[in-house]
Amino acid sequence: MRRATALAAGLALTLPLLTGMGTASAAPTANACYIQSGGITSDNNTVDRYVNATKPISVKPVDVMAQNPFGGRAISLSSQWTWDDDFGDQTSLDGHVVSGGVMYQAHQWVQKGTGGKVASSSLTRIGSGWGVFKTLTHSWSLDDPNSRMYALRNDGVLFRWNLNPVNGGPEHWEAAGSSPGFSAVKAITLLSRTATYDTLLATTRGGALYTIHIPLSNPLKPVVKQVRSRTWQGFETLETARCGNYGTLLLGIDKDAKAGYLYAVGHANGTATVINALGKVPATFGDKLDFSWGSVVDAPLFGE
């Protein structure tokens, strides 16, 4: 049964432990704020771990979402993945990956109760030339069949594409602008998705934390605001999840230390943004590649 997302009021972060069952690690308890962090392991499985904003922070044991879903193919970039278990004895998994410089729309059907056994898998080629990109950020919502993809190229140019499904088939990618000036950026995640703008949250190699507010109008004209000026340079990956009406849980992953740190972030407002450090996550983040999971029914992020 497809789970319903439960959002805590505001940033109430002293919450009950999660429970999980089945292949998709579904059904956390009500009023729990959490991030469903994922990755690709050294043996090429995709996995997840629920990082719960309890006090102290708690982590559900790692679950295998899919066993070797890419057939041993090396994956260099991944978007956030979504899952939907409202399909009888199978769970549907969807995401975007880059392998060998080629972008693919990826999908798997996974048999429930088998520890991630893949019943069928597909990689639909989108296009080549992706070896020069270092981040991949997908803005999506169940309520809107059209989504947007943001990617940062190695030279600091940020690109946007509109992804529009065609008659239920493969996506049609439409270039929707680019903007230079982001060469110092190290990690990016989605902070907000609305009907008129997306907001990205980014760290720099110098340690700053910024919001990048991007109106959906053309041409692409980001509005950048500093949130913090230092101490954020250690994170190679950022992951976000909605918590309450205006709050966001933020997970920063330090790949060198294989460590994760959890933060409660208030509605973004430049340097006035409230950020509460919740502490180090009691788990090892040693996967080859990190990304986040989301249920298809999750409410859109609204962190700014």
Side-chain angles (χ1 to χ4, degrees):
M1 172 175 159
R2 182 182 296 169
R3 70 168 165 85
T5 299
L7 298 174
L11 280 172
L13 293 170
T14 304
L15 304 164
L17 292 174
L18 301 184
T19 60
M21 55 187 175
T23 302
S25 306
T29 57
N31 297 325
C33 289
Y34 62 90
I35 288 179
Q36 189 180 359
S37 182
I40 300 176
T41 65
S42 59
D43 50 1
N44 296 317
N45 296 331
T46 55
V47 297
D48 80 334
R49 56 179 67 79
Y50 280 106
V51 178
N52 311 308
T54 49
K55 190 174 182 178
I57 298 167
S58 59
V59 182
K60 184 182 175 294
V62 173
D63 279 337
V64 175
M65 297 291 279
Q67 299 175 14
N68 194 21
F70 310 112
R73 186 189 298 264
I75 305 300
S76 58
L77 280 178
S78 176
S79 69
Q80 183 190 44
W81 277 66
T82 58
W83 60 266
D84 188 347
D85 67 351
D86 199 19
F87 294 98
D89 61 356
Q90 292 187 338
T91 297
S92 175
L93 309 178
D94 289 277
H96 294 83
V97 295
V98 174
S99 177
V102 178
M103 168 72 75
Y104 296 93
Q105 181 184 3
H107 174 76
Q108 293 111 41
W109 289 105
V110 175
Q111 202 71 26
K112 294 178 182 177
T114 63
K117 183 178 180 180
V118 176
S120 64
S121 179
S122 66
L123 287 173
T124 302
R125 181 187 173 100
I126 301 298
S128 59
W130 286 87
V132 295
F133 287 88
K134 60 181 183 178
T135 70
L136 194 62
T137 309
H138 193 196
S139 173
W140 62 275
S141 171
L142 178 66
D143 297 330
D144 184 356
N146 302 313
S147 62
R148 297 173 288 276
M149 189 72 76
Y150 297 88
L152 181 63
R153 202 166 61 187
N154 290 337
D155 61 358
V157 179
L158 182 67
F159 290 81
R160 178 177 64 192
W161 289 265
N162 294 326
L163 281 56
N164 307 307
V166 179
N167 298 323
E171 299 162 334
H172 172 69
W173 284 53
E174 175 185 329
S178 64
S179 178
F182 297 94
S183 59
V185 168
K186 186 174 182 180
I188 291 179
T189 189
L190 186 69
L191 186 66
S192 272
R193 173 188 166 87
T194 77
T196 58
Y197 66 88
D198 290 319
T199 302
L200 309 180
L201 186 67
T203 60
T204 68
R205 291 190 299 274
L209 182 69
Y210 289 93
T211 55
I212 306 172
H213 178 97
I214 307 175
L216 301 187
S217 56
N218 285 316
L220 191 152
K221 291 185 177 180
V223 178
V224 178
K225 291 184 179 180
Q226 186 180 92
V227 178
R228 295 291 187 270
S229 62
R230 57 190 180 89
T231 76
W232 290 83
Q233 67 273 10
F235 299 131
E236 285 77 24
T237 302
L238 300 176
E239 299 176 9
T240 46
R242 184 164 171 168
C243 185
N245 291 329
Y246 306 105
T248 304
L249 279 185
L250 171 63
L251 175 65
I253 298 177
D254 181 338
K255 294 298 289 182
D256 295 331
K258 299 182 180 180
Y261 295 84
L262 194 62
Y263 302 86
V265 182
H267 208 60
N269 182 27
T271 56
T273 304
V274 174
I275 302 179
N276 293 322
L278 303 183
K280 185 178 180 181
V281 177
T284 299
F285 292 84
D287 297 330
K288 292 193 301 183
L289 185 67
D290 300 297
F291 56 86
S292 60
W293 289 94
S295 164
V296 293
V297 298
D298 284 350
L301 286 160
F302 189 48
E304 188 236 26

